[in-house]
Amino acid sequence: MTDALELDALWEEFHRVVNMTSQELAAWLRVADAGETTEPLPDRAGPPTGQHVLAILQKRRTDLTDDDLHVMYEVVDTVTEQADLENEPDAEDSDRRHRLMTIGHDPLKP
């Protein structure tokens, strides 16, 4: 497990880059996974990483597991690499935006 200072820094960074609420992320995962004729069960919508991010958003810091920490590091790294936070993509870059939204980061959200 991670030491307390590192955990605090990870928690803060994760919540900085994951700028969608758990409700927004859950709704996005359902919409992104819905097809023309079918829609997955709400608790099974979206990719595993998106589902895990949603679960982390609903936890307290003291309840985090090693798997949660791994996903948090992965999400922070992905968002940092994909979204230059000083130069956010515009609405025209919808594929990139949608990929980031699947893990809880909406580049167009202030």
mmCIF file of all heavy atoms in Angstrom, residues 10-54:
data_model
loop_
_atom_site.group_PDB
_atom_site.id
_atom_site.type_symbol
_atom_site.label_atom_id
_atom_site.label_comp_id
_atom_site.label_asym_id
_atom_site.label_seq_id
_atom_site.Cartn_x
_atom_site.Cartn_y
_atom_site.Cartn_z
ATOM 1 N N LEU A 10 -2.117 11.431 -4.405
ATOM 2 C CA LEU A 10 -2.835 10.690 -5.447
ATOM 3 C C LEU A 10 -4.324 11.009 -5.399
ATOM 4 O O LEU A 10 -4.956 11.235 -6.435
ATOM 5 C CB LEU A 10 -2.600 9.184 -5.289
ATOM 6 C CG LEU A 10 -3.377 8.289 -6.255
ATOM 7 C CD1 LEU A 10 -3.010 8.592 -7.714
ATOM 8 C CD2 LEU A 10 -3.118 6.817 -5.919
ATOM 9 N N TRP A 11 -4.913 11.020 -4.212
ATOM 10 C CA TRP A 11 -6.341 11.320 -4.038
ATOM 11 C C TRP A 11 -6.664 12.694 -4.632
ATOM 12 O O TRP A 11 -7.637 12.842 -5.377
ATOM 13 C CB TRP A 11 -6.685 11.269 -2.553
ATOM 14 C CG TRP A 11 -8.106 11.560 -2.225
ATOM 15 C CD1 TRP A 11 -8.634 12.761 -1.830
ATOM 16 C CD2 TRP A 11 -9.205 10.639 -2.248
ATOM 17 N NE1 TRP A 11 -9.981 12.634 -1.603
ATOM 18 C CE2 TRP A 11 -10.360 11.348 -1.851
ATOM 19 C CE3 TRP A 11 -9.318 9.291 -2.570
ATOM 20 C CZ2 TRP A 11 -11.608 10.753 -1.761
ATOM 21 C CZ3 TRP A 11 -10.572 8.703 -2.475
ATOM 22 C CH2 TRP A 11 -11.699 9.429 -2.084
ATOM 23 N N GLU A 12 -5.841 13.698 -4.295
ATOM 24 C CA GLU A 12 -6.072 15.050 -4.799
ATOM 25 C C GLU A 12 -5.918 15.116 -6.323
ATOM 26 O O GLU A 12 -6.727 15.723 -7.010
ATOM 27 C CB GLU A 12 -5.118 16.049 -4.123
ATOM 28 C CG GLU A 12 -5.360 16.223 -2.646
ATOM 29 C CD GLU A 12 -6.745 16.738 -2.301
ATOM 30 O OE1 GLU A 12 -7.254 17.604 -3.034
ATOM 31 O OE2 GLU A 12 -7.320 16.261 -1.307
ATOM 32 N N GLU A 13 -4.863 14.500 -6.847
ATOM 33 C CA GLU A 13 -4.618 14.530 -8.289
ATOM 34 C C GLU A 13 -5.721 13.796 -9.049
ATOM 35 O O GLU A 13 -6.195 14.260 -10.088
ATOM 36 C CB GLU A 13 -3.245 13.927 -8.605
ATOM 37 C CG GLU A 13 -2.845 14.027 -10.044
ATOM 38 C CD GLU A 13 -2.564 15.450 -10.510
ATOM 39 O OE1 GLU A 13 -2.596 16.393 -9.710
ATOM 40 O OE2 GLU A 13 -2.302 15.616 -11.711
ATOM 41 N N PHE A 14 -6.133 12.643 -8.538
ATOM 42 C CA PHE A 14 -7.212 11.872 -9.157
ATOM 43 C C PHE A 14 -8.481 12.708 -9.232
ATOM 44 O O PHE A 14 -9.130 12.776 -10.281
ATOM 45 C CB PHE A 14 -7.459 10.581 -8.363
ATOM 46 C CG PHE A 14 -8.605 9.755 -8.873
ATOM 47 C CD1 PHE A 14 -8.435 8.923 -9.976
ATOM 48 C CD2 PHE A 14 -9.851 9.782 -8.262
ATOM 49 C CE1 PHE A 14 -9.481 8.144 -10.453
ATOM 50 C CE2 PHE A 14 -10.899 9.014 -8.729
ATOM 51 C CZ PHE A 14 -10.714 8.190 -9.823
ATOM 52 N N HIS A 15 -8.836 13.362 -8.130
ATOM 53 C CA HIS A 15 -10.063 14.158 -8.126
ATOM 54 C C HIS A 15 -9.925 15.461 -8.914
ATOM 55 O O HIS A 15 -10.921 16.059 -9.286
ATOM 56 C CB HIS A 15 -10.531 14.402 -6.692
ATOM 57 C CG HIS A 15 -11.199 13.190 -6.119
ATOM 58 N ND1 HIS A 15 -10.501 12.187 -5.496
ATOM 59 C CD2 HIS A 15 -12.490 12.803 -6.121
ATOM 60 C CE1 HIS A 15 -11.340 11.242 -5.130
ATOM 61 N NE2 HIS A 15 -12.550 11.578 -5.496
ATOM 62 N N ARG A 16 -8.707 15.869 -9.188
ATOM 63 C CA ARG A 16 -8.502 17.038 -10.055
ATOM 64 C C ARG A 16 -8.726 16.648 -11.513
ATOM 65 O O ARG A 16 -9.397 17.362 -12.256
ATOM 66 C CB ARG A 16 -7.096 17.607 -9.879
ATOM 67 C CG ARG A 16 -6.852 18.876 -10.692
ATOM 68 C CD ARG A 16 -5.433 19.378 -10.558
ATOM 69 N NE ARG A 16 -4.479 18.499 -11.224
ATOM 70 C CZ ARG A 16 -4.266 18.481 -12.540
ATOM 71 N NH1 ARG A 16 -4.955 19.275 -13.339
ATOM 72 N NH2 ARG A 16 -3.372 17.670 -13.075
ATOM 73 N N VAL A 17 -8.167 15.498 -11.935
ATOM 74 C CA VAL A 17 -8.299 15.108 -13.340
ATOM 75 C C VAL A 17 -9.646 14.473 -13.641
ATOM 76 O O VAL A 17 -10.145 14.587 -14.761
ATOM 77 C CB VAL A 17 -7.148 14.193 -13.827
ATOM 78 C CG1 VAL A 17 -5.812 14.893 -13.678
ATOM 79 C CG2 VAL A 17 -7.151 12.845 -13.165
ATOM 80 N N VAL A 18 -10.247 13.799 -12.665
ATOM 81 C CA VAL A 18 -11.589 13.241 -12.860
ATOM 82 C C VAL A 18 -12.557 14.357 -12.471
ATOM 83 O O VAL A 18 -12.920 14.516 -11.315
ATOM 84 C CB VAL A 18 -11.802 11.961 -12.019
ATOM 85 C CG1 VAL A 18 -13.239 11.470 -12.157
ATOM 86 C CG2 VAL A 18 -10.830 10.875 -12.446
ATOM 87 N N ASN A 19 -12.957 15.126 -13.465
ATOM 88 C CA ASN A 19 -13.762 16.315 -13.200
ATOM 89 C C ASN A 19 -15.264 16.088 -13.416
ATOM 90 O O ASN A 19 -16.043 17.020 -13.357
ATOM 91 C CB ASN A 19 -13.267 17.499 -14.035
ATOM 92 C CG ASN A 19 -13.393 17.281 -15.530
ATOM 93 O OD1 ASN A 19 -13.819 16.230 -15.993
ATOM 94 N ND2 ASN A 19 -12.995 18.289 -16.289
ATOM 95 N N MET A 20 -15.648 14.842 -13.654
ATOM 96 C CA MET A 20 -17.071 14.514 -13.776
ATOM 97 C C MET A 20 -17.536 13.930 -12.440
ATOM 98 O O MET A 20 -16.780 13.214 -11.774
ATOM 99 C CB MET A 20 -17.285 13.492 -14.895
ATOM 100 C CG MET A 20 -16.929 14.010 -16.276
ATOM 101 S SD MET A 20 -16.906 12.724 -17.549
ATOM 102 C CE MET A 20 -18.666 12.355 -17.701
ATOM 103 N N THR A 21 -18.759 14.240 -12.058
ATOM 104 C CA THR A 21 -19.314 13.649 -10.844
ATOM 105 C C THR A 21 -19.645 12.180 -11.111
ATOM 106 O O THR A 21 -19.703 11.737 -12.264
ATOM 107 C CB THR A 21 -20.594 14.378 -10.408
ATOM 108 O OG1 THR A 21 -21.604 14.158 -11.407
ATOM 109 C CG2 THR A 21 -20.357 15.878 -10.207
ATOM 110 N N SER A 22 -19.907 11.444 -10.063
ATOM 111 C CA SER A 22 -20.270 10.038 -10.242
ATOM 112 C C SER A 22 -21.568 9.915 -11.038
ATOM 113 O O SER A 22 -21.698 9.017 -11.878
ATOM 114 C CB SER A 22 -20.383 9.319 -8.897
ATOM 115 O OG SER A 22 -21.333 9.931 -8.069
ATOM 116 N N GLN A 23 -22.497 10.843 -10.852
ATOM 117 C CA GLN A 23 -23.744 10.818 -11.613
ATOM 118 C C GLN A 23 -23.496 11.093 -13.089
ATOM 119 O O GLN A 23 -24.071 10.439 -13.961
ATOM 120 C CB GLN A 23 -24.764 11.832 -11.050
ATOM 121 C CG GLN A 23 -25.252 11.515 -9.666
ATOM 122 C CD GLN A 23 -24.336 12.060 -8.580
ATOM 123 O OE1 GLN A 23 -23.348 12.746 -8.845
ATOM 124 N NE2 GLN A 23 -24.633 11.726 -7.341
ATOM 125 N N GLU A 24 -22.648 12.079 -13.382
ATOM 126 C CA GLU A 24 -22.324 12.396 -14.775
ATOM 127 C C GLU A 24 -21.615 11.235 -15.455
ATOM 128 O O GLU A 24 -21.931 10.888 -16.592
ATOM 129 C CB GLU A 24 -21.427 13.647 -14.842
ATOM 130 C CG GLU A 24 -22.125 14.927 -14.466
ATOM 131 C CD GLU A 24 -21.165 16.093 -14.299
ATOM 132 O OE1 GLU A 24 -19.990 15.885 -13.940
ATOM 133 O OE2 GLU A 24 -21.615 17.239 -14.535
ATOM 134 N N LEU A 25 -20.668 10.622 -14.749
ATOM 135 C CA LEU A 25 -19.931 9.503 -15.321
ATOM 136 C C LEU A 25 -20.847 8.311 -15.552
ATOM 137 O O LEU A 25 -20.808 7.691 -16.623
ATOM 138 C CB LEU A 25 -18.749 9.109 -14.435
ATOM 139 C CG LEU A 25 -17.912 7.925 -14.920
ATOM 140 C CD1 LEU A 25 -17.389 8.143 -16.341
ATOM 141 C CD2 LEU A 25 -16.768 7.653 -13.954
ATOM 142 N N ALA A 26 -21.697 7.998 -14.583
ATOM 143 C CA ALA A 26 -22.632 6.869 -14.741
ATOM 144 C C ALA A 26 -23.544 7.093 -15.937
ATOM 145 O O ALA A 26 -23.768 6.176 -16.743
ATOM 146 C CB ALA A 26 -23.449 6.675 -13.465
ATOM 147 N N ALA A 27 -24.056 8.309 -16.084
ATOM 148 C CA ALA A 27 -24.930 8.622 -17.214
ATOM 149 C C ALA A 27 -24.161 8.506 -18.530
ATOM 150 O O ALA A 27 -24.675 7.949 -19.513
ATOM 151 C CB ALA A 27 -25.519 10.022 -17.063
ATOM 152 N N TRP A 28 -22.924 9.007 -18.563
ATOM 153 C CA TRP A 28 -22.126 8.932 -19.786
ATOM 154 C C TRP A 28 -21.838 7.476 -20.158
ATOM 155 O O TRP A 28 -21.931 7.106 -21.319
ATOM 156 C CB TRP A 28 -20.817 9.709 -19.642
ATOM 157 C CG TRP A 28 -19.922 9.447 -20.802
ATOM 158 C CD1 TRP A 28 -18.776 8.719 -20.813
ATOM 159 C CD2 TRP A 28 -20.144 9.853 -22.152
ATOM 160 N NE1 TRP A 28 -18.263 8.655 -22.084
ATOM 161 C CE2 TRP A 28 -19.083 9.347 -22.930
ATOM 162 C CE3 TRP A 28 -21.131 10.600 -22.790
ATOM 163 C CZ2 TRP A 28 -18.982 9.558 -24.293
ATOM 164 C CZ3 TRP A 28 -21.029 10.808 -24.155
ATOM 165 C CH2 TRP A 28 -19.972 10.298 -24.888
ATOM 166 N N LEU A 29 -21.477 6.654 -19.193
ATOM 167 C CA LEU A 29 -21.176 5.248 -19.476
ATOM 168 C C LEU A 29 -22.397 4.539 -20.064
ATOM 169 O O LEU A 29 -22.268 3.728 -20.981
ATOM 170 C CB LEU A 29 -20.678 4.527 -18.223
ATOM 171 C CG LEU A 29 -19.311 4.984 -17.698
ATOM 172 C CD1 LEU A 29 -18.986 4.288 -16.391
ATOM 173 C CD2 LEU A 29 -18.221 4.791 -18.725
ATOM 174 N N ARG A 30 -23.587 4.867 -19.547
ATOM 175 C CA ARG A 30 -24.814 4.259 -20.085
ATOM 176 C C ARG A 30 -25.065 4.725 -21.516
ATOM 177 O O ARG A 30 -25.392 3.931 -22.392
ATOM 178 C CB ARG A 30 -26.009 4.581 -19.193
ATOM 179 C CG ARG A 30 -26.043 3.792 -17.911
ATOM 180 C CD ARG A 30 -27.365 3.923 -17.180
ATOM 181 N NE ARG A 30 -27.745 5.297 -16.910
ATOM 182 C CZ ARG A 30 -27.390 5.981 -15.826
ATOM 183 N NH1 ARG A 30 -26.645 5.430 -14.911
ATOM 184 N NH2 ARG A 30 -27.783 7.215 -15.658
ATOM 185 N N VAL A 31 -24.903 6.011 -21.767
ATOM 186 C CA VAL A 31 -25.143 6.568 -23.108
ATOM 187 C C VAL A 31 -24.115 6.027 -24.095
ATOM 188 O O VAL A 31 -24.453 5.621 -25.208
ATOM 189 C CB VAL A 31 -25.090 8.117 -23.074
ATOM 190 C CG1 VAL A 31 -25.004 8.702 -24.467
ATOM 191 C CG2 VAL A 31 -26.298 8.663 -22.338
ATOM 192 N N ALA A 32 -22.853 6.014 -23.701
ATOM 193 C CA ALA A 32 -21.782 5.582 -24.603
ATOM 194 C C ALA A 32 -21.912 4.105 -24.959
ATOM 195 O O ALA A 32 -21.496 3.689 -26.033
ATOM 196 C CB ALA A 32 -20.419 5.848 -23.955
ATOM 197 N N ASP A 33 -22.509 3.303 -24.086
ATOM 198 C CA ASP A 33 -22.627 1.860 -24.315
ATOM 199 C C ASP A 33 -23.950 1.464 -24.968
ATOM 200 O O ASP A 33 -24.108 0.336 -25.391
ATOM 201 C CB ASP A 33 -22.492 1.117 -22.982
ATOM 202 C CG ASP A 33 -21.395 0.072 -23.011
ATOM 203 O OD1 ASP A 33 -20.566 0.120 -23.934
ATOM 204 O OD2 ASP A 33 -21.372 -0.778 -22.115
ATOM 205 N N ALA A 34 -24.881 2.396 -25.041
ATOM 206 C CA ALA A 34 -26.195 2.069 -25.590
ATOM 207 C C ALA A 34 -26.129 1.914 -27.106
ATOM 208 O O ALA A 34 -25.474 2.677 -27.791
ATOM 209 C CB ALA A 34 -27.205 3.157 -25.225
ATOM 210 N N GLY A 35 -26.831 0.895 -27.607
ATOM 211 C CA GLY A 35 -26.922 0.682 -29.047
ATOM 212 C C GLY A 35 -28.284 1.122 -29.546
ATOM 213 O O GLY A 35 -29.096 1.658 -28.794
ATOM 214 N N GLU A 36 -28.526 0.887 -30.818
ATOM 215 C CA GLU A 36 -29.815 1.284 -31.390
ATOM 216 C C GLU A 36 -30.967 0.499 -30.784
ATOM 217 O O GLU A 36 -32.055 1.020 -30.605
ATOM 218 C CB GLU A 36 -29.798 1.086 -32.905
ATOM 219 C CG GLU A 36 -28.999 2.135 -33.631
ATOM 220 C CD GLU A 36 -29.140 1.988 -35.132
ATOM 221 O OE1 GLU A 36 -30.188 1.542 -35.612
ATOM 222 O OE2 GLU A 36 -28.170 2.343 -35.828
ATOM 223 N N THR A 37 -30.748 -0.766 -30.490
ATOM 224 C CA THR A 37 -31.849 -1.600 -30.005
ATOM 225 C C THR A 37 -31.631 -2.131 -28.601
ATOM 226 O O THR A 37 -32.549 -2.689 -28.017
ATOM 227 C CB THR A 37 -32.065 -2.805 -30.938
ATOM 228 O OG1 THR A 37 -30.853 -3.564 -30.999
ATOM 229 C CG2 THR A 37 -32.473 -2.341 -32.330
ATOM 230 N N THR A 38 -30.432 -2.004 -28.062
ATOM 231 C CA THR A 38 -30.172 -2.533 -26.722
ATOM 232 C C THR A 38 -29.426 -1.535 -25.873
ATOM 233 O O THR A 38 -28.769 -0.623 -26.372
ATOM 234 C CB THR A 38 -29.322 -3.823 -26.784
ATOM 235 O OG1 THR A 38 -28.061 -3.488 -27.369
ATOM 236 C CG2 THR A 38 -29.999 -4.903 -27.577
ATOM 237 N N GLU A 39 -29.540 -1.727 -24.589
ATOM 238 C CA GLU A 39 -28.821 -0.909 -23.625
ATOM 239 C C GLU A 39 -28.393 -1.838 -22.497
ATOM 240 O O GLU A 39 -29.189 -2.636 -22.011
ATOM 241 C CB GLU A 39 -29.739 0.193 -23.094
ATOM 242 C CG GLU A 39 -29.039 1.162 -22.193
ATOM 243 C CD GLU A 39 -29.936 2.339 -21.843
ATOM 244 O OE1 GLU A 39 -30.759 2.744 -22.674
ATOM 245 O OE2 GLU A 39 -29.798 2.836 -20.724
ATOM 246 N N PRO A 40 -27.127 -1.754 -22.059
ATOM 247 C CA PRO A 40 -26.674 -2.654 -20.995
ATOM 248 C C PRO A 40 -27.311 -2.296 -19.657
ATOM 249 O O PRO A 40 -27.837 -1.192 -19.483
ATOM 250 C CB PRO A 40 -25.171 -2.415 -20.959
ATOM 251 C CG PRO A 40 -25.000 -1.030 -21.477
ATOM 252 C CD PRO A 40 -26.097 -0.836 -22.489
ATOM 253 N N LEU A 41 -27.255 -3.216 -18.723
ATOM 254 C CA LEU A 41 -27.705 -2.916 -17.373
ATOM 255 C C LEU A 41 -26.857 -1.764 -16.835
ATOM 256 O O LEU A 41 -25.653 -1.706 -17.104
ATOM 257 C CB LEU A 41 -27.558 -4.145 -16.480
ATOM 258 C CG LEU A 41 -28.426 -5.336 -16.864
ATOM 259 C CD1 LEU A 41 -28.052 -6.557 -16.030
ATOM 260 C CD2 LEU A 41 -29.896 -5.004 -16.696
ATOM 261 N N PRO A 42 -27.453 -0.852 -16.078
ATOM 262 C CA PRO A 42 -26.710 0.334 -15.627
ATOM 263 C C PRO A 42 -25.403 0.006 -14.915
ATOM 264 O O PRO A 42 -24.410 0.702 -15.091
ATOM 265 C CB PRO A 42 -27.693 1.024 -14.685
ATOM 266 C CG PRO A 42 -29.024 0.603 -15.167
ATOM 267 C CD PRO A 42 -28.846 -0.803 -15.680
ATOM 268 N N ASP A 43 -25.374 -1.051 -14.119
ATOM 269 C CA ASP A 43 -24.148 -1.375 -13.394
ATOM 270 C C ASP A 43 -23.113 -2.091 -14.252
ATOM 271 O O ASP A 43 -22.023 -2.387 -13.803
ATOM 272 C CB ASP A 43 -24.452 -2.183 -12.144
ATOM 273 C CG ASP A 43 -25.114 -3.519 -12.443
ATOM 274 O OD1 ASP A 43 -25.700 -3.677 -13.530
ATOM 275 O OD2 ASP A 43 -25.047 -4.409 -11.581
ATOM 276 N N ARG A 44 -23.442 -2.364 -15.509
ATOM 277 C CA ARG A 44 -22.503 -3.020 -16.422
ATOM 278 C C ARG A 44 -22.162 -2.146 -17.627
ATOM 279 O O ARG A 44 -21.508 -2.608 -18.550
ATOM 280 C CB ARG A 44 -23.096 -4.336 -16.912
ATOM 281 C CG ARG A 44 -23.256 -5.327 -15.799
ATOM 282 C CD ARG A 44 -23.666 -6.658 -16.312
ATOM 283 N NE ARG A 44 -23.906 -7.539 -15.181
ATOM 284 C CZ ARG A 44 -24.636 -8.616 -15.235
ATOM 285 N NH1 ARG A 44 -25.213 -8.975 -16.365
ATOM 286 N NH2 ARG A 44 -24.807 -9.365 -14.159
ATOM 287 N N ALA A 45 -22.595 -0.917 -17.610
ATOM 288 C CA ALA A 45 -22.353 -0.019 -18.742
ATOM 289 C C ALA A 45 -20.923 0.498 -18.714
ATOM 290 O O ALA A 45 -20.385 0.820 -17.667
ATOM 291 C CB ALA A 45 -23.330 1.146 -18.703
ATOM 292 N N GLY A 46 -20.334 0.574 -19.876
ATOM 293 C CA GLY A 46 -19.003 1.132 -20.013
ATOM 294 C C GLY A 46 -17.906 0.115 -19.841
ATOM 295 O O GLY A 46 -18.143 -1.012 -19.422
ATOM 296 N N PRO A 47 -16.676 0.529 -20.149
ATOM 297 C CA PRO A 47 -15.533 -0.368 -20.028
ATOM 298 C C PRO A 47 -15.173 -0.587 -18.549
ATOM 299 O O PRO A 47 -15.570 0.211 -17.687
ATOM 300 C CB PRO A 47 -14.417 0.373 -20.762
ATOM 301 C CG PRO A 47 -14.786 1.803 -20.634
ATOM 302 C CD PRO A 47 -16.291 1.839 -20.668
ATOM 303 N N PRO A 48 -14.417 -1.636 -18.260
ATOM 304 C CA PRO A 48 -14.061 -1.927 -16.862
ATOM 305 C C PRO A 48 -13.375 -0.763 -16.145
ATOM 306 O O PRO A 48 -13.668 -0.502 -14.972
ATOM 307 C CB PRO A 48 -13.120 -3.130 -16.980
ATOM 308 C CG PRO A 48 -13.496 -3.782 -18.268
ATOM 309 C CD PRO A 48 -13.934 -2.668 -19.182
ATOM 310 N N THR A 49 -12.496 -0.042 -16.831
ATOM 311 C CA THR A 49 -11.812 1.076 -16.176
ATOM 312 C C THR A 49 -12.806 2.171 -15.802
ATOM 313 O O THR A 49 -12.748 2.726 -14.709
ATOM 314 C CB THR A 49 -10.684 1.647 -17.058
ATOM 315 O OG1 THR A 49 -9.762 0.592 -17.358
ATOM 316 C CG2 THR A 49 -9.950 2.778 -16.364
ATOM 317 N N GLY A 50 -13.739 2.471 -16.695
ATOM 318 C CA GLY A 50 -14.770 3.466 -16.386
ATOM 319 C C GLY A 50 -15.632 3.039 -15.218
ATOM 320 O O GLY A 50 -15.961 3.850 -14.344
ATOM 321 N N GLN A 51 -15.982 1.777 -15.155
ATOM 322 C CA GLN A 51 -16.755 1.255 -14.031
ATOM 323 C C GLN A 51 -15.958 1.358 -12.733
ATOM 324 O O GLN A 51 -16.505 1.699 -11.682
ATOM 325 C CB GLN A 51 -17.148 -0.202 -14.279
ATOM 326 C CG GLN A 51 -18.147 -0.384 -15.393
ATOM 327 C CD GLN A 51 -18.399 -1.859 -15.680
ATOM 328 O OE1 GLN A 51 -17.955 -2.746 -14.961
ATOM 329 N NE2 GLN A 51 -19.117 -2.127 -16.744
ATOM 330 N N HIS A 52 -14.660 1.081 -12.813
ATOM 331 C CA HIS A 52 -13.812 1.144 -11.624
ATOM 332 C C HIS A 52 -13.672 2.593 -11.149
ATOM 333 O O HIS A 52 -13.713 2.857 -9.944
ATOM 334 C CB HIS A 52 -12.448 0.528 -11.918
ATOM 335 C CG HIS A 52 -11.732 0.059 -10.691
ATOM 336 N ND1 HIS A 52 -10.967 -1.050 -10.669
ATOM 337 C CD2 HIS A 52 -11.662 0.562 -9.434
ATOM 338 C CE1 HIS A 52 -10.458 -1.219 -9.461
ATOM 339 N NE2 HIS A 52 -10.868 -0.242 -8.699
ATOM 340 N N VAL A 53 -13.510 3.534 -12.079
ATOM 341 C CA VAL A 53 -13.444 4.954 -11.703
ATOM 342 C C VAL A 53 -14.735 5.355 -11.000
ATOM 343 O O VAL A 53 -14.709 6.032 -9.965
ATOM 344 C CB VAL A 53 -13.179 5.846 -12.935
ATOM 345 C CG1 VAL A 53 -13.381 7.324 -12.608
ATOM 346 C CG2 VAL A 53 -11.785 5.604 -13.482
ATOM 347 N N LEU A 54 -15.859 4.917 -11.521
ATOM 348 C CA LEU A 54 -17.142 5.215 -10.899
ATOM 349 C C LEU A 54 -17.195 4.666 -9.478
ATOM 350 O O LEU A 54 -17.633 5.350 -8.547
ATOM 351 C CB LEU A 54 -18.285 4.641 -11.747
ATOM 352 C CG LEU A 54 -19.698 4.907 -11.276
ATOM 353 C CD1 LEU A 54 -19.980 6.401 -11.169
ATOM 354 C CD2 LEU A 54 -20.691 4.250 -12.224
#
